[in-house]
Amino acid sequence: MYLTYIPAILLSVALNASAQILLRQGMPQVALITREGLLPLMMSGVRIVFNPWVFSGLSCFAASLVLWMYVLSKVQVSFAYPFNSVGYVIVVAAAYFFFREPISAMKLAGVGLICLGVFLVTRG
């Protein structure tokens, strides 16, 4: 049954959401535009990739992708893909706790609807 693959699905989604948070932490530290103008593309790429936060985020993306390919080899995409919505929930919560981004009532309602939707998809 597909339910045995839910931990792998959720781990892939959590890794993807973690990548977003890590990239958000690292990108403000990387100046793509200086007083002299746009840095050469190659220099910008090196600066970005070797920022520890960005590198960690990219690593999480890679791990998420490998795990997601495993999941898709085992379950129907129509079952697995809706779980990606849980990533929105994780990112909203992490952004609140790590970056003090506000959560409005509308965001909370949206998060609730996402959770309800994922629950309903797993039952169908």
Side-chain angles (χ1 to χ4, degrees):
M1 180 101 190
Y2 290 159
L3 296 179
T4 60
Y5 294 99
I6 289 177
I9 293 169
L10 291 176
L11 179 57
S12 175
V13 170
L15 284 166
N16 193 302
S18 297
Q20 299 299 326
I21 297 302
L22 291 164
L23 291 174
R24 169 63 179 86
Q25 178 67 29
M27 286 309 297
Q29 300 170 10
V30 181
L32 295 179
I33 299 177
T34 65
R35 291 183 199 154
E36 293 78 34
L38 189 63
L39 292 173
L41 185 58
M42 184 65 133
M43 178 82 122
S44 296
V46 170
R47 287 179 54 134
I48 291 169
V49 170
F50 287 105
N51 175 287
W53 294 105
V54 173
F55 184 81
S56 297
L58 294 174
S59 298
C60 282
F61 268 135
S64 173
L65 177 62
V66 169
L67 189 53
W68 190 251
M69 289 188 301
Y70 166 76
V71 164
L72 291 180
S73 74
K74 301 296 182 185
V75 304
Q76 293 178 353
V77 71
S78 63
F79 175 79
Y81 194 74
F83 282 93
N84 281 310
S85 299
V86 175
Y88 295 118
V89 177
I90 295 168
V91 169
V92 166
Y96 173 78
F97 287 110
F98 294 118
F99 305 121
R100 299 292 176 225
E101 293 182 9
I103 299 178
S104 66
M106 197 64 90
K107 274 187 188 175
L108 282 177
V111 165
L113 288 173
I114 288 169
C115 292
L116 177 62
V118 172
F119 174 77
L120 292 174
V121 167
T122 62
R123 299 296 173 218

